[in-house]
Amino acid sequence: QVQLVESGGGSVQSGGSLRLSCDVSEYTYDGAVYFAWFRQAPGKEREGVSMIRDHNGYTRYADFVKGRFTISQDNTRNTVYLEMKSLEPEDTAMYYCAARFSYAQSSSLLLASTYTIWGQGTQVTVSS
């Protein structure tokens, strides 16, 4: 089964930037594969941040990060990135990389319960 390992988290000031990385182990699958970033702050529910579909690069973003965050995948498909700009204290959370190997409806692309493989997370802290 595919394994995911996140890195790149840290502490930044408001308005700063970070790039998160999700290292993906080698896998073979002939169907749809989705990689996504989720985040969870203390006392809050896990929420979808962004998604990218393997092979075709289709992306989806939560409204609260549009224009600030960018998800991408390297040419070898071994790493999924989340470029974060204009970070705000509200972005402080544990960020998780996740994957699923199934087709999904558009409405579920950022639904955590539909993802079956998860990394350990990387902490992002934004100070004002």
Side-chain angles (χ1 to χ4, degrees):
Q1 186 65 272
V2 64
Q3 295 180 328
L4 309 175
V5 180
E6 303 96 330
S7 63
S11 298
V12 298
Q13 294 183 338
S14 181
S17 301
L18 284 173
R19 185 178 76 167
L20 306 184
S21 298
C22 176
D23 293 328
V24 183
S25 64
E26 184 177 355
Y27 66 93
T28 301
Y29 187 68
D30 60 357
V33 182
Y34 302 84
F35 296 100
W37 288 95
F38 293 83
R39 70 186 189 186
Q40 187 167 22
K44 298 183 179 180
E45 296 183 351
R46 187 168 298 186
E47 59 184 356
V49 176
S50 185
M51 180 282 305
I52 186 167
R53 180 172 173 172
D54 195 16
H55 297 104
N56 66 11
Y58 176 82
T59 59
R60 172 70 64 82
Y61 296 93
D63 289 341
F64 55 82
V65 302
K66 284 184 176 179
R68 299 190 299 124
F69 292 8
T70 303
I71 191 169
S72 62
Q73 188 176 39
D74 67 12
N75 293 333
T76 64
R77 303 187 185 92
N78 290 328
T79 308
V80 177
Y81 300 99
L82 184 67
E83 295 276 0
M84 304 185 294
K85 302 184 297 183
S86 300
L87 285 164
E88 304 169 355
E90 292 78 11
D91 297 315
T92 296
M94 183 72 73
Y95 283 72
Y96 298 91
C97 183
R100 66 181 180 186
F101 294 81
S102 63
Y103 289 98
Q105 295 179 317
S106 179
S107 60
S108 67
L109 293 177
L110 293 177
L111 185 62
S113 62
T114 67
Y115 286 78
T116 58
I117 302 172
W118 294 82
Q120 295 298 311
T122 184
Q123 178 68 38
V124 172
T125 302
V126 184
S127 60
S128 61

